[in-house]
Amino acid sequence: MRAADRVAELTATFAAPSLDVAGLLCDRHPVDRVAFTVVDGAGTASTLTFGELAADSHRCARALQGLGVGPGDRVATLMGKSTDLVAVILAIWRLGAVYVPLFTAFAPQAIALRLAGAGAHVVVVDSDQRHKLDPGPDMPEDPQRRIVVAGTGTSRRDVVLADLVAAASPEPLPAVTTSGDGPLVHMFTSGTTGKPKGVIHPVSYITGWQIYLEYALGVTRDSGYWCAADPGWAYGLYSAIVAPLAAGIPSLLLTGGFSAETTWRTIVDHQVTDFTAAPTVYRGLRSSSVPVPQGLRLVRASSAGEPLTPEVNEWAGAALGLAVHDHFGQTEVGMPLANHHHPELAGPLKTGSMGRPVPGWSLTVLADEKDVPAGPGVLGRVAIDVAASPLMTFRGYQVPGQRASKFTPDGRWYLTGDAGRVDADGDFFFSSRDDDVIIMAGYRIGPFEIESVLAQHPAVAECSVIGAPDDVRGEVVEAYVVLRDGGDGSPELATELQQLVKTRYAAHAYPRTIHFIDSLPKTPSGKTQRYLLRKRRRTELTTPESP
């Protein structure tokens, strides 16, 4: 089937005026087919079939219904990867309720912001996360909040999920229908450039993720598929859970945090052929002392979340015998750009490229001064053509006034907030967030290309480049560098890094100052917050020194 026909077919399914979400994601698939394999840190695995998931989610739905949950209500989870998590998510949708994912690395303040923003009064929480919901300075008390503990109960006399489920009727619930425009997930942006914004995804948003799974990731029924991203964020939720459910393809979930040893063991033990993860995972594998094991069956590797710097594929080509394909997406819209694995769309990889539009999407690079295409090779604003993108479901944030910054006045273009360029072949290249572009003496400089060069130095673990105020040039390039050995750096190393940029990128764009620091400021999902570095540097440069 041609890609355009597949887009139309799935759009008709998930944008229908009346549909059963749980039926589409679970009940229509063969009951004996494996839906998920859950692996713990020791390598012990358990499987969950679609039939078992259907039964478990029906009983979970009965349990939540007993707490008063109904259509449109927001229900949050603060849970790690588990069969319980999957059953609870599907149970929420069986009731016509709206799912609010919470990342388990969040502190109470971040959790409270999202619970209040979404209006979620029911929270299902793992027992080891329960303390984060205790009232305190960062967690205002909510008399309406119902807390359900997954796992062992606590001394707080909490409601225990297992007890509710055991007491619930095993009889299947009648299907609660909704429409493609009905709310499915209420989540928040990662806060890369400021305070997180509320985004409500409709049911039809699933279409774009299944298209992404099939065409960009290239996953098939014969794949051994593993998305290592955390489902507390959009990429992990949709790539690891929702899209595989929609396609009826088994998915693997690994509990616990990242370690190179566990990652390699899981890939070998479960014969993973299709792997996708954030760039930090690949960098962690590259820098680890754990050797690449024998017995790998990897065929396709993909990356999303942040731009993939070139040193990853220098390593992957030699160590894995394949290239990692970089993909681009956002919480608001899904995944509109990719270096595709599907044979219909696959093409030669270009270093630094985010790829080409995923089926169902149309993108361009707009000029800085006018809302017109900038032309091949010209740095500008990466934008989505709304009318020409049938998979575009985003219409605005939860707070209406925040919409204006994302669309051109005529509504035709959605502005991703990223600066980039597109070449004559139609391949897109990321430069930076729009507000990260450095303008030095009239030159527009994208931080990513400089970071890519610096990251190739063997002493550099990670780095971030910003524009610092300068009286003469307006801005100058400066770099913050974290070293592999945790050292303090030296003037000699700083000079060496500056020279590296001069010789491998551009003489005018070298960092005028190299700051060696212990760690970069990041969002809980691991994205670098350049704006905090800029704020810190402005403060340093404008604060008078003490006498």
Side-chain angles (χ1 to χ4, degrees), residues 61-218:
R62 291 277 188 190
L64 293 175
Q65 189 180 53
L67 298 178
V69 175
D73 290 334
R74 269 55 172 170
V75 180
T77 69
L78 184 58
M79 302 171 71
K81 303 166 191 172
S82 64
T83 54
D84 277 348
L85 172 65
V86 178
V88 169
I89 293 172
L90 195 62
I92 292 167
W93 292 333
R94 284 198 185 282
L95 295 170
V98 182
Y99 177 49
V100 181
L102 298 172
F103 184 36
T104 53
F106 279 148
Q109 187 176 72
I111 295 168
L113 181 151
R114 287 160 174 80
L115 291 177
H121 299 298
V122 176
V123 186
V124 185
V125 57
D126 284 338
S127 55
D128 63 349
Q129 296 281 324
R130 171 63 181 84
H131 64 282
K132 295 180 180 178
L133 300 176
D134 288 338
D138 294 330
M139 179 58 66
E141 188 165 7
D142 180 359
Q144 296 179 272
R145 184 174 298 141
R146 302 297 302 273
I147 297 173
V148 181
V149 177
T152 308
T154 68
S155 59
R156 300 173 178 83
R157 298 180 181 177
D158 290 317
V159 175
V160 177
L161 179 64
D163 294 342
L164 289 179
V165 170
S169 168
E171 287 296 314
L173 277 168
V176 176
T177 58
T178 184
S179 71
D181 293 329
L184 181 78
V185 172
H186 192 151
M187 67 190 320
F188 294 79
T189 60
S190 61
T192 308
T193 58
K195 187 176 180 180
K197 300 180 181 69
V199 180
I200 301 171
H201 294 152
V203 175
S204 57
Y205 188 69
I206 297 173
T207 306
W209 284 95
Q210 186 169 347
I211 289 293
Y212 171 72
L213 181 83
E214 295 178 4
Y215 287 90
L217 296 178

Side-chain angles (χ1 to χ4, degrees), residues 419-444:
R421 57 185 173 84
V422 59
D423 68 14
D425 297 326
D427 288 287
F428 283 74
F429 294 80
F430 176 83
S431 175
S432 69
R433 296 291 299 174
D434 273 349
D435 48 8
D436 290 332
V437 171
I438 302 165
I439 303 177
M440 184 179 73
Y443 290 103
R444 290 175 57 82

Side-chain angles (χ1 to χ4, degrees), residues 438-440 466-470 473-478 510 512-513:
I438 302 165
I439 303 177
M440 184 179 73
I466 66 163
D470 182 81
R473 301 177 182 88
E475 286 184 309
V476 293
V477 177
E478 296 192 1
Y510 76 93
R512 266 52 178 183
T513 305

Side-chain angles (χ1 to χ4, degrees), residues 17-59:
S18 179
L19 52 83
D20 171 10
V21 174
L24 291 173
L25 297 185
C26 178
D27 303 344
R28 64 173 171 158
H29 302 309
V31 296
D32 58 349
R33 180 182 296 167
V34 171
F36 293 95
T37 299
V38 180
V39 184
D40 65 21
T44 303
S46 60
T47 59
L48 183 71
T49 66
F50 280 101
E52 292 167 335
L53 176 58
D56 291 351
S57 60
H58 270 293
R59 296 197 62 162

